[in-house]
Amino acid sequence: MAISDPVPAVLPSVMSADMLALGAQLDALCHAGARVFHVDVMDGHFVPNLTVGPDFTAAVARAVRPHGGAVDVHLMVERPGPLLELFAPYADAISVHAESDPHVHRLLGEIRRLGCRAGLAVNPGTPVAAVAELAEELDYVNCMSVNPGFAGQSFIATTPAKLARLRDALPDRVLLEVDGGIGPATLPQARDAGAQWLVSASAIFGQPDPVAAYTALAALAG
Ligand code: DX5
Ligand code: ZN
């Protein structure tokens, strides 16, 4: 499965795609080599924005899986437990936020039981210790480099230092993802600090030629 493809990898974040041209954009990105696609799910409570749900995620999976692609679902949702089984058929990896539920240990086990890679996303203010404590339950960590909720925000400058601390605190098998404000200027810093899945929305879909932008970022990722 594409989820085990080599890293570092650039993950296009579909929230900034052209929704009326989504199929063509995903197809073109797959042909350009993109393999893992990031879907941002926002509930209007955990974050002050609303985005997409399981049906949209299913459409993304239908578009990318025939190319060997995979879907990474980032749940920015208060108490995401009941939603996990709705997303699991269309997700290869699901991250829940450490701040979204008092029982994330249980949720991570549930994500694995549903057959997906289990990820923990952490807001900029959440300490590394909250993640390290759950290492056994984790397949990946999504280190937020903006306050979640919107695409197009600036990369928080202290993120590379946090990424490096996360890398030190986690076993090698736990993949490190970075999400927010990743573009040509910030990607190298994040990669050098240990990030392996580099999520990008605006720096791909906000550009006149998303495929060219993806290709340039992927080359930079190495
Ligand atoms: C932000 C989302 C990100 C977002 C990134 O809350 O989790 O995945 O799409 O957007 P950019 O790359 O524009 O910062
Ligand atoms: Zn995200």
Side-chain angles (χ1 to χ4, degrees):
M1 205 193 316
I3 211 91
S4 58
D5 276 0
V7 289
V10 173
L11 278 60
S13 170
V14 181
M15 78 178 282
S16 297
D18 177 349
M19 296 301 162
L20 294 180
L22 184 64
Q25 287 195 329
L26 294 178
D27 239 40
L29 286 166
C30 285
H31 284 296
R35 283 296 173 268
V36 186
F37 291 81
H38 184 87
V39 174
D40 288 304
V41 178
M42 305 185 185
D43 68 349
H45 295 279
F46 182 70
V47 292
N49 196 3
L50 283 168
T51 55
V52 297
D55 290 348
F56 176 86
T57 309
V60 173
R62 274 198 303 276
V64 305
R65 283 180 170 166
H67 297 281
V71 179
D72 170 37
V73 172
H74 176 194
L75 291 178
M76 284 159 278
V77 169
E78 205 67 61
R79 300 283 187 137
L83 293 177
L84 296 176
E85 64 184 4
L86 300 184
F87 283 95
Y90 320 114
D92 301 280
I94 298 178
S95 67
V96 292
H97 264 267
E99 311 83 5
S100 69
D101 193 296
H103 306 295
V104 282
H105 181 281
R106 180 188 300 149
L107 296 182
L108 292 167
E110 179 68 5
I111 293 169
R112 281 181 170 173
R113 196 184 64 72
L114 290 165
C116 301
R117 301 288 186 95
L120 190 65
V122 284
N123 283 339
T126 299
V128 169
V131 180
E133 204 62 52
L134 294 165
E136 286 296 306
E137 316 304 318
L138 288 172
D139 298 307
Y140 68 111
V141 170
N142 181 0
C143 176
M144 294 306 300
S145 37
V146 297
N147 289 293
F150 300 93
Q153 302 182 77
S154 297
F155 183 80
I156 295 172
T158 50
T159 305
K162 184 174 184 183
L163 285 166
R165 291 200 303 277
L166 281 165
R167 188 68 282 165
D168 279 349
L170 292 167
D172 287 351
R173 62 162 193 85
V174 176
L175 192 140
L176 196 50
E177 178 174 41
V178 66
D179 187 7
I182 294 293
T186 52
L187 183 146
Q189 307 169 39
R191 179 208 54 206
D192 290 350
Q196 295 155 301
W197 272 2
L198 302 135
V199 175
S200 182
S202 315
I204 295 175
F205 295 107
Q207 305 307 309
D209 183 344
V211 169
Y214 164 80
T215 304
L217 280 182
L220 212 51

